[in-house]
């Protein structure tokens, strides 16, 4: 996080209270006013509470709509160089991908489980279509094979995107039926 903020030229950092200890030193290095700090579930001093920021927002569409070429998100990859670099995706790129995912059954009533980090491009493969098509997303704080299987059963999960090591850990569960 500390190294990614200058590379990304981020203007806003949003974190949960559980990550605040990691985020506070990053804000100190950028000085006041350089980066907005939003606490998803907290707010004090330098951190604005998310609920307070959106409390008075009118529920109509904004006056300004993003163009397709506008930046949507930045994912980080070491690729083949082992040097972290940000990869910018535009609104058009993400919209095209999301529309293509309609064929995979993302719709209201579908349930996606998110068990990879939110900054990962892998996560976006199912999370964005879930949001776009009104599906439910079950968020895991961290991956645990046993908990993953339990959540899939109790939440009636219909969609998941995993990386190979996650599949391996699930398949190693002794009592996996």
């Amino acid at each position: 996080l500390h190294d990614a903020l200058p590379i990304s030229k981020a203007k806003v950092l949003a974190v949960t209270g559980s990550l605040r200890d990691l985020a506070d030193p990053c804000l100190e290095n950028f000085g006041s006013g350089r980066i907005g700090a939003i606490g998803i579930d907290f707010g004090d001093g330098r951190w604005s509470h998310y609920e307070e920021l959106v409390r008075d927002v009118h529920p109509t569409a904004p006056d300004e709509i993003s163009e397709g070429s506008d930046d949507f998100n930045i994912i980080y990859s070491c690729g083949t160089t082992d040097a972290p670099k940000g990869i910018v995706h535009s609104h058009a790129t993400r919209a095209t991908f999301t529309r293509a995912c309609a064929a995979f059954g993302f719709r209201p009533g579908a349930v996606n489980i998110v068990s990879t980090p939110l900054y990962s491009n892998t996560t976006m493969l199912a999370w964005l279509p879930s949001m776009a098509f009104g599906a439910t997303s079950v968020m895991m704080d961290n991956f645990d094979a046993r908990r993953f299987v339990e959540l899939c059963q109790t939440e009636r999960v219909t969609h998941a995107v995993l990386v190979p090591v996650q599949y391996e850990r699930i398949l190693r569960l002794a009592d996996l039926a």
Side-chain angles (χ1 to χ4, degrees):
L1 179 61
H2 186 271
D3 293 335
L5 287 175
I7 294 168
S8 71
K9 299 178 183 160
K11 294 183 175 103
V12 176
L13 177 62
V15 300
T16 62
S18 64
L19 298 175
R20 182 176 179 172
D21 288 345
L22 293 172
D24 276 336
C26 296
L27 295 179
E28 292 166 14
N29 291 331
F30 287 97
S32 63
R34 171 81 192 277
I35 189 167
I38 300 174
I40 301 300
D41 53 2
F42 71 96
D44 60 20
R46 191 73 210 280
W47 294 91
S48 300
H49 196 293
Y50 174 77
E51 292 296 329
E52 292 176 16
L53 291 173
V54 300
R55 180 179 40 226
D56 297 326
V57 174
H58 197 275
T60 59
D63 293 335
E64 185 175 320
I65 303 297
S66 293
E67 297 294 324
S69 61
D70 288 344
D71 296 346
F72 179 84
N73 70 315
I74 303 171
I75 62 151
Y76 284 88
S77 171
C78 290
T80 57
T81 66
D82 291 330
K85 58 188 164 290
I87 302 168
V88 179
H89 289 131
S90 69
H91 278 265
T93 298
R94 286 301 186 188
T96 299
F97 168 79
T98 299
R99 280 191 300 274
C101 287
F104 296 110
F106 290 98
R107 64 186 181 287
V111 180
N112 172 49
I113 188 165
V114 177
S115 62
T116 51
L118 294 179
Y119 62 79
S120 168
N121 196 43
T122 301
T123 302
M124 298 291 179
L125 294 173
W127 188 36
L128 285 179
S130 293
M131 288 188 291
F133 297 116
T136 298
S137 285
V138 176
M139 311 296 277
M140 294 185 73
D141 286 340
N142 55 38
F143 181 78
D144 173 88
R146 169 97 33 228
R147 183 73 181 130
F148 177 87
V149 170
E150 290 169 357
L151 284 169
C152 286
Q153 291 173 335
T154 60
E155 301 296 327
R156 304 177 72 95
V157 169
T158 59
H159 294 76
V161 173
L162 303 169
V163 296
V165 70
Q166 291 174 305
Y167 287 112
E168 181 181 346
R169 290 178 184 170
I170 292 167
L171 292 172
R172 285 188 179 180
L173 292 173
D175 58 344
L176 181 65

